Amino acid sequence: RFLPALSDGAKIATSAMAEPDGSSWSDLATMAVKDGDGYRISGEKTLLTNAPSADVVLVYAVTDPEKRAAGGITAFVLDASTPGIRRGPSLETMGLHTTEVGSLVFDDVRVDADAVLGQVGDGAAVFEHAMMWERSLLSAGQVGQMQKMLDKTITYARSRKIDGKQIGKYQSVSHKITDMKMRVEAARLLTYRAAWSLDNRPREAALHASVNKVYVSEAYVKASLDAVQIMGGKGYLAEHNVERLVRDSIGGTLYSGSNDAQRSAIAAALGL
């Protein structure tokens, strides 16, 4: 019903998980109460990518308060124009200004049983599966930005001169660029490893996804800061489009599960 239009870009979607009081399963307050052959959903979601203009909403709600993550959360897919859904204003963010972020309020929203994605009570599994894919693949864009910064920084270091000498000849600059190169190659390989695991090692995929997400997002932050340092005043000016990447990169340590949460997941996978 929704996938063809989402695949060709005719429609966009938002994943409604995060709430004002937290994003853990124990904190989830959005409820879906049985109503005949369907449900009525009530609650508020926030910090949602694409929420201000989304056509399709994937919302996670509690269907059994006692079970919660152990079979008490259900995922629902519905049209954003469904009566009872109210959009909040676009939220101003530090970076990633080309991506809209907002909130949604579900005010006794009536949905039919066919709005359930998967099975009733499988919401936690649906979410974790989706996040595993997201954490594995979103880093590809970050690797691309890191490569772009590396290329731009090398060009600048070759052309900018101090006392008639290219700044790239100074060890303090060349070593920063060398580190940028090593980080981008490591990030690229981790991204490939995480993506490969999705198809070939599904039991290990969640671990590789978390390792990939943490390393690449933090390498992206370091690369963007190094680029600003190497370009100096020009790097700080908005017109050169480098300082923007610093602001954008910070978001990568927060979205799709914070890096602190991912470190805890990695520790658990290691038996710690």
Side-chain angles (χ1 to χ4, degrees):
R1 194 159 76 242
F2 297 112
L3 193 56
L6 293 174
S7 298
D8 66 18
K11 291 186 177 182
I12 60 173
T14 184
S15 180
M17 170 58 183
E19 297 186 352
D21 292 331
S23 301
S24 68
W25 299 121
S26 60
D27 295 325
L28 212 63
T30 299
M31 303 293 297
V33 179
K34 202 80 171 71
D35 179 38
D37 62 347
Y39 293 84
R40 290 192 177 275
I41 304 174
S42 298
E44 181 179 358
K45 302 289 186 175
T46 191
L47 293 174
L48 310 180
T49 302
N50 297 332
S53 56
D55 304 293
V56 180
V57 179
L58 169 60
V59 58
Y60 296 89
V62 178
T63 47
D64 188 332
E66 295 184 0
K67 292 182 178 179
R68 288 196 168 264
I73 307 292
T74 301
F76 298 87
V77 183
L78 53 153
D79 193 293
S81 63
T82 303
I85 297 180
R86 290 187 285 113
R87 303 178 195 262
S90 293
L91 302 174
E92 185 175 356
T93 56
M94 174 182 176
L96 299 169
H97 292 163
T98 55
T99 300
E100 290 186 302
V101 177
S103 60
L104 293 174
V105 175
F106 299 83
D107 187 7
D108 199 30
V109 178
R110 177 67 167 74
V111 297
D112 293 330
D114 65 359
V116 173
L117 181 63
Q119 302 295 321
V120 174
D122 283 352
V126 170
F127 179 79
E128 293 303 333
H129 182 79
M131 288 298 100
M132 178 177 68
W133 276 75
E134 182 175 310
R135 291 165 191 151
S136 296
L137 306 180
L138 61 80
S139 57
Q142 296 169 338
V143 171
Q145 289 287 26
M146 290 168 65
Q147 183 65 57
K148 179 181 177 181
M149 277 190 291
L150 175 62
D151 296 341
K152 188 170 187 175
T153 304
I154 290 173
T155 299
Y156 182 82
R158 287 172 175 170
S159 61
R160 178 76 166 95
K161 294 182 178 180
I162 295 179
D163 296 330
K165 183 179 179 180
Q166 295 177 2
I167 65 169
K169 299 298 183 182
Y170 291 96
Q171 190 179 80
S172 60
V173 173
S174 66
H175 281 193
K176 275 189 173 65
I177 294 176
T178 298
D179 287 344
M180 289 173 70
K181 172 64 174 175
M182 290 189 291
R183 281 194 295 269
V184 73
E185 294 303 333
R188 196 188 322 274
L189 289 172
L190 280 173
T191 299
Y192 288 155
R193 173 65 180 273
W196 180 87
S197 295
L198 291 170
D199 285 334
N200 297 282
R201 296 283 181 83
R203 292 185 178 181
E204 301 174 10
L207 172 60
H208 292 313
S210 292
V211 170
N212 178 57
K213 196 272 181 183
V214 173
Y215 180 85
V216 178
S217 64
E218 293 182 359
Y220 182 23
V221 172
K222 187 66 171 66
S224 62
L225 290 171
D226 283 346
V228 170
Q229 287 291 327
I230 292 169
M231 294 184 67
K234 288 187 176 180
Y236 196 66
L237 296 176
E239 65 183 275
H240 293 285
N241 206 32
V242 176
E243 58 79 34
R244 169 191 171 184
L245 297 181
V246 176
R247 293 183 285 104
D248 287 353
S249 68
I250 297 297
T253 67
L254 303 172
Y255 57 65
S256 194
S258 71
N259 283 6
D260 285 336
Q262 299 314 303
R263 282 187 164 87
S264 294
I266 294 168
L270 297 175
L272 302 176

